[in-house]
Amino acid sequence: MGFFSKRKIQGDELLNYLDFLGEEWKFRAFQEKEASAYTDALTRFDPKAAAKNADAYAELAGAASRLAQSAAELVRRKDALKTVPDKATSCYFAWHAAYTDYLAWALAQADTIEDKMAGNPTDAAALKELQQKSEQSRTEAETEEQKLLKQLDLSQADIEQLHDRASQAAAQDTWRPRVITRKPKR
């Protein structure tokens, strides 16, 4: 019985798994690229210092809005994935949960920055809880992915090639957030 459970995935079935992983890693590369743009804005415009500078706060709000829009785009792309190989369903659903939690945090982050700009009260504890939930579900998704990679028994060169393709796809991605113009709340 043990012999059959250890059978390596091969041929066309393996190609289906590689296609699935390639798509998953494109999603992640897209998310990391957009998160990096947000992190850059946080570095340029320290939120504590920006509180005294309306233009800096507007830049932070724009970056947070872009992050939330990219998180929504990420979930949309994930939902559009057509096929998931049988042994990859746990990985698929784990990443879907991670991206959904990430979207909830990104939306709350954007709302929090807007509220701060408007001088409205914010709920830092709720935002922190959403961030922790997002990080936890991402860790769970990474664990599920490692289980799948172990089943596929890919070489390090195969993994690196898939990662390189995903990074290239993210670099060439032409997605742009829609421009949102707001009048300051007074």
Side-chain angles (χ1 to χ4, degrees):
M1 183 77 62
F3 174 75
F4 292 108
S5 65
K6 299 264 186 198
R7 194 176 65 141
K8 185 179 176 188
I9 298 170
Q10 298 176 355
D12 288 344
E13 185 181 13
L14 179 61
L15 292 176
N16 289 335
Y17 282 94
L18 293 176
D19 288 344
F20 167 78
L21 279 174
E23 289 303 310
E24 280 293 337
W25 291 349
K26 285 179 193 174
F27 299 146
R28 191 153 350 129
F30 172 78
Q31 185 269 329
E32 289 170 355
K33 175 182 160 187
E34 292 300 320
S36 177
Y38 178 68
T39 302
D40 290 348
L42 287 176
T43 302
R44 283 193 323 263
F45 306 103
D46 176 27
K48 290 178 181 152
K52 297 175 182 142
N53 180 340
D55 291 337
Y57 236 102
E59 289 292 328
L60 282 175
S65 175
R66 179 187 176 111
L67 182 71
Q69 288 181 54
S70 70
E73 174 66 10
L74 178 63
V75 171
R76 187 199 65 75
R77 289 179 183 189
K78 180 80 171 157
D79 287 343
L81 189 62
K82 298 277 189 243
T83 60
V84 178
D86 290 340
K87 293 177 183 170
T89 55
S90 293
C91 182
Y92 170 84
F93 286 117
W95 277 111
H96 195 281
Y99 294 145
T100 302
D101 291 344
Y102 177 72
L103 173 59
W105 169 79
L107 289 169
Q109 180 71 9
D111 288 345
T112 297
I113 290 175
E114 292 248 338
D115 285 342
K116 284 182 179 180
M117 270 180 63
N120 297 331
T122 61
D123 188 350
L127 184 63
K128 183 74 172 165
E129 188 176 310
L130 287 171
Q131 181 183 12
Q132 289 171 338
K133 184 177 180 187
S134 176
E135 291 169 357
Q136 168 88 26
S137 60
R138 183 177 180 101
T139 299
E140 291 168 4
E142 289 170 346
T143 299
E144 283 300 320
E145 184 177 285
Q146 288 305 312
K147 289 178 189 176
L148 178 60
L149 287 172
K150 188 174 181 180
Q151 285 181 327
L152 296 177
D153 195 30
L154 299 176
S155 71
Q156 190 60 37
D158 292 336
I159 291 170
E160 288 174 11
Q161 186 177 24
L162 283 170
H163 276 293
D164 288 347
R165 287 181 186 169
S167 295
Q168 290 170 359
Q172 295 173 355
D173 195 312
T174 59
W175 176 83
R176 295 284 177 249
R178 53 191 169 93
V179 176
I180 300 174
T181 56
R182 296 184 180 91
K183 293 182 182 179
K185 298 176 187 176
R186 293 182 196 225

